[in-house]
Structure formats: structure tokens, C-alpha cells
Amino acid sequence: METLSRRALNRATLERQLLLRPAKMSAYDAVEHLAGLQAQAPFPPYFGLWSRLEGFRPAELAELLESRRVVRIALMRGTVHLVTAADALAWRPVVQVLYDRDLKTNTQHARALAGLDHSAVASAARELLTASALASTALGAELARTWDVPAASLTHLARARLPLVQVPPRAIWGKAGQTTYACLDEWVGAPLSPPSPAELISRYLRAFGPATVADVQTWAGITRLGEVAASMDLRRYRDPDGRELLDLPELTVPDEDVPAPPRLLGPFDQTILSYADRTRVISDAYRKRVISQNGLVKGTLLVDGQVCGFWDTKASRKAAVIELSPFEKLAKRDLAGLESSAGQLVKWAEPAAETHEVRVHAPE
């Protein structure tokens, strides 16, 4: 069985995540290819596509949300993802076990919900949402008319038992909107699919492989996928630590010496969140500087395929500034590449600002 180096795994990840070179594909095709995009906050998916696609315009993704071809929905790991409507219909049934478990173990809501008929609450919530999309607080308040339980806990139950999408204007570029829910199947006009864990594994490997079963389970947030993978026709490798790596038989791994140009990844980028072993793209020490204790993930700097710092923006009507904070001294050519990308990013993100500036902080 062939052993793949960490550098080879890095290049495979960058290639499948469309980070070796700008991709010439539509935003819809990219969302599908990438197995969705992290979307805990409204706008990181836009930055994720900017990092990957040639000539990406925010209006393209906004139109997909408004036309219901892509949706924002809690899926893998219990976090909000932006995925195609078809993938949402296919994947939510697979990860439902995660939400069922959470209703019994959630430290904030489980006790309040323990004595309720969960199916009855979910049925009532669906009836309310069929009549009209409702904001999170409004949904809870309506349910609390029937059940003497905190409204927030009732909303939590509805979100766990029903495939709820966050509807526009939430996450429409340039607009603001509170979290407002509708039922996925009614929103897109199609039924949920029978659960297929094998298909979920295949899609993960196409976007992130080669990877271990533990990597797949970390991304999905569910367990026992090793049993499913064992029955699949997959290519198998070893990583430098001897762990078995899985991949689709028709896919190959690029040469480990393929150049990886400097890149700016957006906040919450899935490339650094979707593995049990993230060292293929970020060291453990740097991960602690990029991901906060409450789960916020900064926009990051990539040099030779590895995270080496973070970036942030400050904007007003007059001035837009992007600040680069590398963790180490960088070669002049690499730093120049990051500055060039940062200059393009700040103008793309803040086109109305009168001035645009890139600032680089010295490594601490």
C-alpha cells in the first residue's frame, strides 16, 4: 500500500479545494464540487468562492440563494453550511442522528425538552412555517403559546427535528437579515432523499480526500462510517503515521512538488476545519492562534499550502484597510504575493470605499 507524505496530502487538498489555481467554473458548480461551504456567519461563503474562482462576483451567489438553488442549513457537525438544494435534501437525513443525540445531551436545552412530545412540537412548528417563514424568536414564541417551555428551547427542538433553512435576505451580499426559517422540502419544492452514508463519504473524498475515516467523521459529525467505508470500492493509501487513507478509485494525487501560490482564505474556511488531523494544512500551534475558544475562525494566509498567519479588514465609507499578520518571517516573494492578493481582496470586498490600503504587521 502506497504511503503519501504530508506534502502530497497537502497538494491533494489544495487541488480538490480549488486552491492551486483559480477555477473557471460557476458558483453553483463550485458549491457542489466543494461539498458545500462553511456558513456559520452570513458572508464567509462569498470569501470562500473569491479565493477559488476566477472572476467571482457576489451577485452570482446571492442570486443562487434567492432562486433557492443553494440554501443555508445546519448540516455537518451541527453547523450551518451553504450547499446546493439537492445536497441538502440528500445529506440532512444522513446527519439526523447528530441532531437526535443533541436533543438528549444539549446542556442548555435537553432538560427543558425532556418531558415533551418532540414529534408534536415538530409537527406544530412545520404547520407554522408552512404558513409563513418565521424568525427564530417568533417561531419559539408561537410554540410557547402551547408548551410551557422556554421559547429558545422550543426553537432548538424545531431546528433539530426539522430540516430548517435560513431564508433570504439573510446572507445576501450587501443586505442584512435576521435568522428566519422555512422547511427545506417546502422551500425548494422537493422531498428529502433516503439516507445514503456511502454517497456522503464519496462526496467528502471528492472534495477533501485522500482522508482517514476519522477525517470523514470529523467533517460529518457522525460515527460508524468505517463500517460503511469498508463495504465501498475505494482506493487505499497510508499516511506517514501508518493510518489508512481512503480515496475514490478514479481520482489521483498531484505531485507533491506542484507549486502552491500564496493565498488568502476567508473566515471559517473549510480547508482547515474538515479533518481530524489538520496538520496537512495548519500546525497545531498555529491552529490555536487562528481558531478562538468560542469557535470563531479568522481569515488565513497560505504560503506553500500551509497556514502561516491571518488577515482582517477595517472599513468605513472613506477608507478600507486589510491587515496581514504573518506568524513568521516570510520570503519577499511570498509576502509580495500575499500583499497583491490582499489588495485585490479589499477592493473586491469594499468597492465603495474611497481608498484601499494593505498593512503588514511584523511577526510576533
Side-chain angles (χ1 to χ4, degrees), residues 13-15 17-24 47-54 259-266 269 271 299-311 322 324 330 333-342 344-345:
T13 295
L14 296 180
E15 179 179 66
Q17 282 292 301
L18 308 179
L19 291 168
L20 282 180
R21 62 196 67 84
K24 297 180 180 179
F47 289 94
L49 293 178
W50 176 87
S51 299
R52 292 164 166 83
L53 301 184
E54 185 176 287
R263 287 265 189 257
L264 272 67
L265 301 185
D269 197 279
T271 306
T300 51
L301 312 177
L302 280 188
V303 168
D304 195 30
Q306 289 284 325
V307 172
C308 65
F310 63 84
W311 62 266
I322 184 167
L324 309 185
L330 301 176
R333 188 169 82 172
D334 292 332
L335 186 57
L338 291 173
E339 288 185 81
S340 175
S341 293
Q344 297 172 41
L345 175 58

Side-chain angles (χ1 to χ4, degrees), residues 9-298:
L9 289 174
N10 172 270
R11 292 309 192 258
T13 295
L14 296 180
E15 179 179 66
R16 297 187 194 184
Q17 282 292 301
L18 308 179
L19 291 168
L20 282 180
R21 62 196 67 84
K24 297 180 180 179
M25 66 172 64
S26 69
Y28 180 88
D29 288 344
V31 172
E32 182 179 55
H33 171 86
L34 295 165
L37 293 157
Q38 294 282 141
Q40 288 99 313
F43 302 118
Y46 292 87
F47 289 94
L49 293 178
W50 176 87
S51 299
R52 292 164 166 83
L53 301 184
E54 185 176 287
F56 170 68
R57 298 175 297 103
E60 187 179 359
L61 181 55
E63 189 278 328
L64 292 174
L65 281 163
E66 290 175 326
S67 66
R68 310 186 186 188
R69 296 183 67 202
V70 304
V71 296
R72 288 167 47 82
I73 182 172
L75 283 175
M76 289 72 73
R77 304 187 304 286
T79 59
V80 178
H81 281 68
L82 183 144
V83 298
T84 67
D87 284 342
L89 293 166
W91 295 350
R92 180 55 194 258
V94 181
V95 300
Q96 181 60 41
V97 292
L98 170 68
Y99 296 92
D100 293 340
R101 182 172 66 245
D102 178 74
L103 286 174
K104 299 177 182 178
T105 60
N106 187 280
T107 56
Q108 185 177 355
H109 301 293
R111 180 173 296 182
L113 298 173
L116 296 185
D117 182 335
H118 290 187
S119 295
V121 177
S123 178
R126 176 177 281 277
E127 186 175 345
L128 288 167
L129 294 171
T130 298
S132 174
L134 290 173
S136 176
T137 52
L139 175 61
E142 287 295 324
L143 293 171
R145 293 175 182 270
T146 303
W147 288 275
D148 186 20
V149 171
S153 294
L154 292 167
T155 300
H156 182 80
L157 191 159
R159 183 174 177 265
R161 289 295 300 268
L162 299 173
L164 300 186
V165 294
Q166 298 183 10
V167 305
R170 182 75 168 170
I172 298 300
W173 187 262
K175 296 183 180 180
Q178 61 182 322
T179 302
T180 302
Y181 290 125
C183 289
L184 166 66
D185 46 335
E186 295 174 358
W187 180 252
V188 303
L192 275 71
S193 306
S196 174
E199 178 59 25
L200 189 70
I201 292 171
S202 294
R203 290 294 301 283
Y204 172 84
L205 294 175
R206 190 169 296 279
F208 295 99
T212 65
V213 168
D215 290 325
V216 185
Q217 293 183 158
T218 294
W219 171 75
I222 57 178
T223 57
R224 304 186 68 177
L225 293 180
E227 302 170 15
V228 181
S231 68
M232 298 173 64
D233 178 21
L234 297 173
R235 179 175 293 180
R236 287 169 165 80
Y237 302 96
R238 295 283 182 194
D239 75 3
D241 296 319
R243 292 170 294 202
E244 185 179 63
L245 297 162
L246 309 176
D247 204 9
L248 299 181
E250 68 270 20
L251 298 184
T252 58
V253 175
D255 189 280
E256 66 177 31
D257 292 324
V258 170
R263 287 265 189 257
L264 272 67
L265 301 185
F268 294 100
D269 197 279
Q270 62 194 38
T271 306
I272 61 173
L273 295 175
S274 300
Y275 298 95
D277 179 2
R278 304 177 190 181
T279 57
R280 67 172 71 192
V281 289
I282 186 170
S283 70
D284 291 336
Y286 286 174
R287 178 164 53 89
K288 294 175 182 177
R289 300 178 67 177
V290 167
I291 304 175
S292 70
Q293 289 186 341
N294 59 354
L296 297 179
V297 185
K298 298 176 180 178

